[in-house]
Amino acid sequence: MALPSPSDLIPDANDQNNYCSTCDKTFTKRHNYLSHLSCSHLDKMSELYRGIDCKSPVMHRYCADCQKVFLSKIFYQIHLDKIHDIKPSKPHKSLPGADDPDVNDPKNYCSSCDKTYFNKRKYRRHLIEVHNLILPSKAQPRVKASNTKPVVDNLKNYCNVCNRVYKPMESYRCHMFRYHHIATRPTESLSSHVNRNKVPNPWHHAT
């Protein structure tokens, strides 16, 4: 007898180890496991949104018309959509919590959806649109002190007022012009450059 392929297996929603037999993956949190089942295996597990018989109401996941309870609020919302044709209202945006995906994950991995994104921008957009998370803006605030002028350091692209180093020259020039109102040019004379590593030679005479 041949063993069944993983695609033929149906995960157990009540698995104590949060193990998905179809994908051969184990989730650390039950919330992430149930979110994975709702995203990837709902077509094979219709009982998840059909509910379990229960006459005692459970807050946020109990259907009074069907007298059924659901494993999570996600399945309750799917039940309202598929069985009663009631579209769930758009949830309010909230700050990331302990059960939400890690916003600063270096691999751009969403633990709830079990997906990895190519770059940070798409990952942040996914968290905002799909998980309704409020993410802090990455934009740098404007400098309040208008009378503070930084030393132009085109060699290291360093801003001593903001204490930041910019790798591309274009980003450094844009920062200086945008936040400090200083226009820099790549062809500026060397006298306007600051080299913090080079020791000056007192015996060198300019010709």
Side-chain angles (χ1 to χ4, degrees), residues 74 76-78 80-82 85-91:
I74 297 176
Y76 172 61
Q77 292 176 345
I78 297 174
L80 294 178
D81 183 15
K82 291 183 175 294
D85 197 23
I86 299 176
K87 301 295 181 182
S89 58
K90 189 175 181 180

Side-chain angles (χ1 to χ4, degrees), residues 134-180:
I134 300 175
L135 304 184
S137 175
K138 297 177 66 177
Q140 182 183 4
R142 289 184 177 273
V143 179
K144 296 181 180 180
S146 58
N147 58 346
T148 304
K149 287 189 177 182
V151 177
V152 179
D153 188 350
N154 284 340
L155 292 180
K156 281 194 171 183
N157 300 338
Y158 172 74
C159 176
N160 61 317
V161 175
C162 303
N163 194 23
R164 293 192 63 180
V165 177
Y166 298 83
K167 291 184 179 180
M169 168 65 76
E170 195 63 31
S171 299
Y172 175 66
R173 293 175 59 202
C174 180
H175 167 78
M176 297 295 286
F177 180 76
R178 192 178 204 184
Y179 297 106
H180 302 288

Side-chain angles (χ1 to χ4, degrees), residues 21-32:
S21 56
T22 304
C23 301
D24 192 21
K25 291 183 179 180
T26 302
F27 296 83
T28 56
K29 297 180 180 179
R30 180 162 177 77
H31 170 77
N32 298 339

Side-chain angles (χ1 to χ4, degrees), residues 33-164:
Y33 177 55
L34 295 178
S35 297
H36 168 74
L37 296 181
S38 65
C39 294
S40 303
H41 306 293
L42 194 62
D43 55 339
K44 296 181 180 180
M45 306 176 68
S46 60
E47 67 276 4
L48 292 178
Y49 63 83
R50 295 189 181 278
I52 304 171
D53 292 333
C54 180
K55 295 183 180 181
S56 301
V58 179
M59 187 178 297
H60 301 308
R61 49 192 179 94
Y62 175 76
C63 178
D65 295 335
C66 302
Q67 291 187 349
K68 292 183 180 294
V69 69
F70 303 87
L71 294 176
S72 68
K73 186 179 178 180
I74 297 176
F75 296 126
Y76 172 61
Q77 292 176 345
I78 297 174
H79 169 81
L80 294 178
D81 183 15
K82 291 183 175 294
I83 304 301
H84 301 288
D85 197 23
I86 299 176
K87 301 295 181 182
S89 58
K90 189 175 181 180
H92 297 288
K93 292 185 178 294
S94 60
L95 293 172
D99 294 332
D100 293 317
D102 184 8
V103 177
N104 299 316
D105 189 281
K107 296 182 179 180
N108 302 326
Y109 173 72
C110 177
S111 56
S112 296
C113 302
D114 192 25
K115 290 183 180 180
T116 302
Y117 290 83
F118 179 71
N119 55 40
K120 193 72 174 179
R121 182 179 179 182
K122 291 185 178 180
Y123 178 54
R124 288 172 60 89
R125 184 177 179 181
H126 166 77
L127 296 179
I128 294 173
E129 295 181 353
V130 177
H131 299 284
N132 295 285
L133 297 180
I134 300 175
L135 304 184
S137 175
K138 297 177 66 177
Q140 182 183 4
R142 289 184 177 273
V143 179
K144 296 181 180 180
S146 58
N147 58 346
T148 304
K149 287 189 177 182
V151 177
V152 179
D153 188 350
N154 284 340
L155 292 180
K156 281 194 171 183
N157 300 338
Y158 172 74
C159 176
N160 61 317
V161 175
C162 303
N163 194 23
R164 293 192 63 180

